[in-house]
């Protein structure tokens, strides 16, 4: 556990905690995280665990009741504060449909916002076979979460599994797929690369990004860049039919053998396939983890997004849908993250603090 990291992962509810545990196991030492649940079943050795609704629910869970989950969180979410020292950005993983993920996530995001900590939410939506009640329950909280989160990804569990999976395999595969996707995202932010995406840049980029789509692929062998691109373009999780794309974030992770031409192929391909007014690229070179393999993380956003600091009571964190005015995702003269109190560096009418490849609309193809 790295209690120094400015990036904190929170698993909420039983399935959310299980996915967060999977991310921690896959990432290895150095991941800063905590689990929150109304049910003691989610507590695991060596992971900080916050029991929500202690007196009210006695550690037995919210019984699928969103209101119970929400009240439990309201009463006990302040216990999270002991884990927030130095945190600049929280990533929440949860499963909507039950009581705790559904109820406590909203309270957690609000609590973080009041402390000036923006949250990115990854939330699964119930399988169709779980029935209309759970679907309705999940839909009901989605928009409320969006109102307070910086960016949110709602991932239908149906899209993470194969039709031929048995029920048990389906659950295992869904947890595994999401956990490995979030692990890649974590590596993108925590590991060094030639084009860096650190917590501050991510915080800046995703401020008010709103609802997004998220997918990852991992490939190896000859033609791996083209194959990664092909799989991303066919991914149901990124389906362009889901609405216009205004902003794209693309991360490429590989070992020391990552070629510039591969970066160009993927960056150009993703930009060409998904469009958007703004495009951000990050790379990670981590030979120990990716030797021979190449992974790509793509995030698409429907809002093009980042605003001046939104006046809010409490922390002043910008949220997904609550802003009045919006600006482009890439660094512009407003919403400049850690440079927000600094005069822009204008030269020949261009803002030099905006990355060159963005200002010039350059592709990285060679
Ligand atoms: N991927 C996965 N999803 C699960 C699992 N168990 C439950 N879910 C999903 O998570 C939703 C919430 O269930 P659960 O986490 O048990 O509820 P909570 O603890 O009250 O938040 C369910 O509606 C399912 O869609 C699991 O083992 N794996
Ligand atoms: Mg539970």
């Amino acid at each position: 556990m790295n209690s120094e990291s400015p990036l904190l992962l929170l698993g909420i509810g039983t399935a959310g905690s299980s996915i967060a545990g999977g991310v921690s196991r896959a990432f290895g030492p150095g991941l800063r995280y905590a689990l929150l649940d109304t049910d003691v079943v989610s507590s695991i050795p060596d992971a900080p665990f916050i029991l929500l609704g202690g007196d009210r629910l006695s550690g037995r869970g919210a019984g699928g009741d969103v209101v119970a989950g929400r009240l439990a969180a309201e009463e006990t979410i302040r216990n999270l504060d002991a884990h927030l020292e130095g945190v600049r950005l929280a990533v929440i993983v949860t499963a909507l449909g039950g009581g705790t993920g559904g109820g406590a996530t909203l309270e957690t995001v609000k609590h973080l916002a009041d402390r000036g900590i923006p949250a990115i939410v990854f939330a699964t939506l119930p399988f169709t076979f779980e029935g209309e009640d759970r679907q309705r329950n999940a839909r009901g909280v989605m928009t409320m979460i969006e109102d307070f989160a910086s960016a949110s990804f709602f991932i239908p569990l149906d899209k993470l599994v194969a039709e031929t999976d048995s029920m048990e395999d389906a659950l295992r595969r869904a947890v595994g797929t999401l956990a490995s996707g979030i692990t890649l995202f974590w590596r993108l932010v925590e590991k060094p690369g030639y084009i860096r995406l650190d917590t501050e840049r991510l915080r800046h980029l995703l401020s008010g990004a709103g609802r997004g789509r998220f997918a990852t692929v991992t490939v190896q062998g000859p033609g791996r860049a083209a194959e990664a691109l092909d799989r991303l373009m066919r991914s149901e999780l990124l389906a362009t039919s889901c609405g216009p794309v205004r902003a794209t974030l693309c991360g490429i992770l590989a070992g020391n053998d990552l070629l510039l031409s591969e970066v160009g192929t993927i960056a150009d391909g993703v930009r060409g396939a998904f469009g958007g007014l703004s495009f951000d690229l990050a790379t990670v070179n981590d030979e120990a983890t990716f030797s021979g393999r190449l992974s790509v993380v793509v995030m698409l956003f429907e809002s093009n997004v980042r605003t001046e600091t939104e006046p809010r009571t409490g922390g002043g964190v910008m949220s997904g849908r609550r802003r009045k005015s919006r600006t482009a995702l890439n660094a512009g003269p407003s919403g400049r993250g850690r440079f927000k109190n600094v005069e822009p560096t204008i030269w020949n009418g261009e803002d030099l603090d905006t990355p060159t490849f963005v200002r010039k609309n350059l592709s990285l193809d060679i």
Side-chain angles (χ1 to χ4, degrees), residues 14 37 39 100:
T14 309
D37 199 0
D39 193 332
T100 309

Side-chain angles (χ1 to χ4, degrees), residues 46 53 74 131 143 193 306 319 341 359 365:
D46 300 328
E74 243 174 39
T143 48
R306 179 166 4 81
S319 64
N341 298 319
R359 274 187 284 118
D365 211 352

Side-chain angles (χ1 to χ4, degrees), residues 13-16 37 95-102 124 126-127 130 134 157 171 174-175:
T14 309
D37 199 0
L96 303 183
T100 309
T124 63
F127 289 108
E130 291 185 64
R134 278 189 179 243
L157 283 170
L171 286 174
V175 170

